[in-house]
Amino acid sequence: MAKLYFYYASMNAGKSSHLLQADFNYRERGMRTMLWTAALDSRSAGMVRSRIGLESEAQRFTPATDLWSTINAAHKVEPLDCVLVDEAQFLTPDQVWQLARLADEGGIPVLCYGLRTDFQGALFPGSAVLLGIADALVELKAVCHCGRKATMNLRVDAEGQAVRQEAQTEIGGNDRYVALCRRHFSAALAG
C-alpha cells in the first residue's frame, strides 16, 4: 500500500538533498518519478536544488495547481513509481488531500519535504495538514550554533537582526534565515 510521507525540518537540514537522493534511488532501479517544487520560490526556476550542489528538474505548483488531476493523468500515460514534492509547506490544504488521494487511490507513494514552521514558530497551512494526515512523519535534523537540534527558522534582516513582524512567506536562504534551537530562537526574538 502506498503512503503519504512528510519529511520536515528547519532550514539547512538537507531536505532537498534527501529528496534528490530518494529520487536517484528510484531512478537507479529503473523506476519513474515525478518531482514538484513551489513556483513561489523564484530561486528554483523549475529545479529542486540542494545547498550541497545537487539538482534536478521539477514541475512547479501554484495554489491553483490540481495535483490530483495532473499527476493522475501522467500516471495513466506512463505509470509513476513515486511522486516527490519539495517546499511542501507551500501546498494548500486541498493539495495535501489531493496527494493523499494519489497514495490511497492511485497507489503512488508520495514523499513531501518541507518546513514545519515559519519564522514566528507558526505552522504553515500545508505543513499543518501534512502533520495531521501523513502516514509517516520523519524529522530531519539540523544543528543550532550551540550544538542542539535546530527546530526553528529565525528570519533576519540585512544586518542580521531578528525580524519579528512581516508576511509569513518570504523566499530566502542563509541570507534571510538562521536555523536555531527553540532557546536561541526565543532569545533572538526577545532581544
Side-chain angles (χ1 to χ4, degrees):
M1 178 174 161
K3 293 183 179 180
L4 173 63
Y5 297 84
F6 183 35
Y7 295 84
Y8 64 92
S10 64
M11 303 280 291
N12 297 322
K15 296 177 298 297
S16 296
S17 58
H18 194 278
L19 178 154
L20 292 166
Q21 180 65 53
D23 178 58
F24 175 82
N25 291 345
Y26 274 94
R27 290 178 181 274
E28 185 178 45
R29 288 159 185 79
M31 298 176 157
R32 187 163 177 264
T33 62
M34 181 180 275
L35 277 60
W36 288 84
T37 191
L40 177 66
D41 188 347
S42 57
R43 300 169 306 158
S44 70
M47 301 289 284
V48 172
R49 287 195 173 102
S50 72
R51 286 181 172 79
I52 62 171
L54 303 173
E55 64 181 26
S56 186
E57 289 186 26
Q59 303 291 319
R60 297 171 74 185
F61 67 85
T62 69
T65 304
D66 183 335
L67 293 172
W68 162 257
S69 296
T70 305
I71 297 169
N72 196 43
H75 181 61
K76 287 180 179 177
V77 172
E78 192 173 348
L80 292 166
D81 295 293
C82 186
V83 171
L84 301 102
V85 181
D86 200 26
E87 304 292 352
Q89 70 271 12
F90 297 131
L91 292 165
T92 66
D94 285 344
Q95 287 171 325
V96 174
W97 281 100
Q98 291 169 14
L99 293 172
R101 185 176 175 199
L102 282 166
D104 296 343
E105 296 177 28
I108 307 167
V110 179
L111 285 60
C112 296
Y113 294 80
L115 299 172
R116 183 178 56 147
T117 59
D118 66 15
F119 75 105
Q120 294 177 319
L123 292 171
F124 283 97
S127 299
V129 178
L130 281 163
L131 288 167
I133 71 168
D135 298 298
L137 301 171
V138 181
E139 183 180 27
L140 301 176
K141 307 294 189 289
V143 180
C144 179
H145 62 80
C146 70
R148 293 176 63 196
K149 180 174 73 170
T151 58
M152 310 302 288
N153 304 300
L154 180 71
R155 186 182 294 169
V156 295
D157 61 21
E159 289 78 42
Q161 299 301 310
V163 174
R164 291 169 185 80
Q165 296 290 325
E166 285 185 5
Q168 183 179 43
T169 301
E170 180 177 320
I171 303 303
N174 293 342
D175 59 323
R176 295 293 291 149
Y177 294 94
V178 179
L180 298 173
C181 67
R182 185 179 56 238
R183 178 176 153 226
H184 285 108
F185 173 83
S186 297
L189 288 180

